[in-house]
Amino acid sequence: MSLISENIKYLRKKIGLTQEQFAERIDIKRSLVGAYEEGRADPRISNLIRMAEVFGTSVDILINKDVSRLSEEELNVSKFKRGKEVLAITVDEHQRENIELVPQKAAAGYLNGYADPEYIQELPKFKLPILPSNATYRAFEISGDSMLPILPGTIIIGEYIDDVRDIKNGKTYILVTKSEGIVYKRVFNYIDDNGKLFLVSDNRQYSPYQIGIEDVLEVWASKAYISVQFPDADDSKEVSTEQLASIVLDLQKEIIRLKENKK
């Protein structure tokens, strides 16, 4: 048997589940669990992720370590970690990471395919040379007007955040969540207080709300945005036609005065 086969069998027995019970937990057939444990089939990444969650460990440990030799502390991973070791990415011919784009129409599918390399491979890709090359980025097309003046259809480019605890209060993030889908919000971190994130819209017509960290699948810190629409000026700062005419008139008067002073 392969290392991963032995690990699956060992950990399943360790948590006291039969093959049938384990299959139900990860939503696959019992016969497939048997095939995994006997080394007759290799689990796809989506099943590996679900198994790692049930075992309370990471995919990296599940496929690369002999778990029977690990202590409980080494086996268990922080519940705050999103698991960068299983983040699906694509690269170009020079092995440089692409920026994958998740259009609005693909948002629902992304919730199921975010960890599937085959799904990520099918997403549109592009480069943005102005971004530092030492991070992983993904782009999301946002919907709705909750973050005005950022308009619906704007593409937000986010940098991958491995640990939810790294969220900085008041900064904007793309959150991929189980209950709310993909959301772009200003986030306040109350994990140490109650295990929650406080999500605030820049458009005050939308009420703030909280989500638990267990609801968060991915976190992307906003780094740039792309839009083909220009936001309107804020009402409090908008310059009227009459004000513009007055400014032009004053400038004309000033030019005339300067010419007269030169004579």
Side-chain angles (χ1 to χ4, degrees):
M1 290 193 297
S2 65
L3 178 61
I4 188 171
S5 301
E6 294 175 347
N7 283 345
I8 292 171
K9 186 174 183 179
Y10 175 85
L11 290 173
R12 176 182 61 77
K13 291 183 176 181
K14 182 179 176 66
I15 61 176
L17 294 179
T18 65
Q19 286 190 347
E20 185 70 36
Q21 292 169 331
F22 183 58
E24 290 179 1
R25 291 282 293 274
I26 59 176
D27 196 25
I28 61 173
K29 294 180 179 180
R30 188 212 60 77
S31 59
L32 193 53
V33 173
Y36 291 160
E37 293 187 355
E38 293 167 16
R40 293 184 284 108
D42 293 323
R44 60 184 301 173
I45 187 65
S46 57
N47 289 339
L48 282 171
I49 292 171
R50 286 195 288 269
M51 284 190 282
E53 289 176 348
V54 172
F55 294 143
T57 191
S58 71
V59 172
D60 181 56
I61 289 175
L62 192 58
I63 64 179
N64 292 315
K65 305 287 185 180
D66 181 352
V67 297
S68 65
R69 298 178 178 272
L70 299 181
S71 65
E72 288 296 326
E73 184 177 351
E74 291 172 321
L75 182 62
N76 296 329
V77 294
S78 170
K79 64 181 179 180
F80 301 108
K81 291 275 188 177
R82 300 298 94 190
K84 185 167 184 176
E85 66 273 9
V86 297
L87 181 67
I89 62 169
T90 62
V91 296
D92 63 15
E93 64 274 16
H94 302 294
Q95 297 302 303
R96 293 176 299 202
E97 290 188 22
N98 297 309
I99 299 175
E100 299 84 16
L101 169 64
V102 183
Q104 289 181 18
K105 62 182 180 181
Y110 187 80
L111 295 181
N112 295 319
Y114 71 96
D116 186 344
E118 293 181 4
Y119 174 85
I120 299 300
Q121 183 65 40
E122 296 302 316
L123 292 173
K125 308 166 191 64
F126 65 98
K127 298 285 188 183
L128 198 60
I130 63 173
L131 293 174
S133 59
N134 60 346
T136 296
Y137 303 96
R138 192 150 294 163
F140 299 84
E141 183 183 10
I142 65 170
S143 60
D145 61 354
S146 66
M147 291 298 284
L148 292 175
I150 300 295
L151 298 169
T154 298
I155 295 171
I156 305 295
I157 300 169
E159 176 185 335
Y160 185 76
I161 302 297
D162 184 38
D163 195 326
V164 181
R165 291 170 297 183
D166 291 336
I167 287 178
K168 303 293 189 298
N169 284 336
K171 301 296 184 181
T172 56
Y173 295 85
I174 290 284
L175 301 180
V176 181
T177 70
K178 299 174 186 176
S179 61
E180 299 290 329
I182 298 173
V183 296
Y184 172 56
K185 297 293 180 185
R186 200 167 296 279
V187 183
F188 292 83
N189 186 342
Y190 293 106
I191 291 174
D192 290 338
D193 296 329
N194 58 10
K196 303 284 187 181
L197 298 175
F198 195 61
L199 275 53
V200 180
S201 300
D202 285 350
N203 184 345
R204 297 307 185 216
Q205 294 183 5
Y206 292 82
S207 300
Y209 61 95
Q210 290 183 336
I211 62 171
I213 58 167
E214 69 280 355
D215 195 22
V216 179
L217 299 173
E218 288 183 346
V219 180
W220 301 85
S222 304
K223 293 299 177 183
Y225 72 88
I226 302 171
S227 179
V228 296
Q229 303 180 73
F230 290 90
D232 294 330
D234 185 84
D235 289 341
S236 62
K237 299 177 181 178
E238 188 174 354
V239 180
S240 67
T241 304
E242 291 77 15
Q243 288 174 312
L244 285 172
S246 177
I247 292 171
V248 172
L249 183 59
D250 288 341
L251 285 172
Q252 289 174 336
K253 289 180 179 179
E254 182 65 13
I255 291 172
I256 292 172
R257 186 185 67 80
L258 289 173
K259 287 182 177 179
E260 290 178 345
N261 289 340
K262 289 182 178 180
K263 291 181 180 178

